[in-house]
Amino acid sequence: MADDGGGVLVEVVSTSTGDALILRLAGVVDPFGRDRIDYLMLAATEALRPLSLAVLDLSALELLGAAGARALARWMIACAERGITVRLVVAPRSTARRVVVVAGLDRRATVFDDLEPALHRG
């Protein structure tokens, strides 16, 4: 993972199938890290083409603020426009899970408690 200097860690992982992407966010996604998250997530999505599945793992987030949720929503919309299925991994009963639900991100993507089921294509 790479620290962006604003309190958020970002890790980009391509899966063994090559047409899927795992993005892991850890730390704090707030107004200060929003623009950096926008850039890194879109750049990773563009770099790995063709791409059919993107899994965003938020299970290690300490804080997901409203600005961060808007950045995630923009990325999810950009993925949908490119025909990329997005799945979210968020720890149950976490503050990030509450923000995902309140922001309606769970209506844009299927939410999983763990990474492995999110990667299953069946």
Side-chain angles (χ1 to χ4, degrees):
M1 285 195 173
D3 187 341
D4 78 340
V8 66
L9 300 171
V10 179
E11 180 181 25
V12 178
V13 180
S14 60
T15 63
S16 59
T17 60
D19 67 341
L21 168 73
I22 302 168
L23 287 171
R24 291 187 182 117
L25 301 183
V28 176
V29 180
D30 59 12
F32 301 108
R34 178 193 64 216
D35 293 337
R36 184 75 173 143
I37 291 300
D38 269 342
Y39 170 77
L40 290 172
M41 290 175 52
L42 287 172
T45 305
E46 287 295 319
L48 295 173
R49 287 189 173 233
L51 189 61
S52 63
L53 174 65
V55 177
L56 181 57
D57 186 349
L58 306 175
S59 59
L61 275 183
E62 296 170 31
L63 173 69
L64 175 62
R70 284 191 296 276
L72 300 184
R74 283 190 296 275
W75 174 76
M76 293 167 75
I77 290 167
C79 285
E81 290 171 349
R82 292 171 175 84
I84 301 168
T85 299
V86 173
R87 297 179 180 164
L88 301 176
V89 177
V90 189
R93 295 178 298 282
S94 65
T95 57
R97 181 72 158 246
R98 286 193 296 272
V99 172
V100 162
V101 171
V102 169
L105 300 179
D106 61 332
R107 293 190 299 269
R108 295 189 178 276
T110 305
V111 179
F112 295 84
D113 295 342
D114 300 300
L115 182 61
E116 285 306 314
L119 291 172
H120 184 349
R121 297 188 190 242

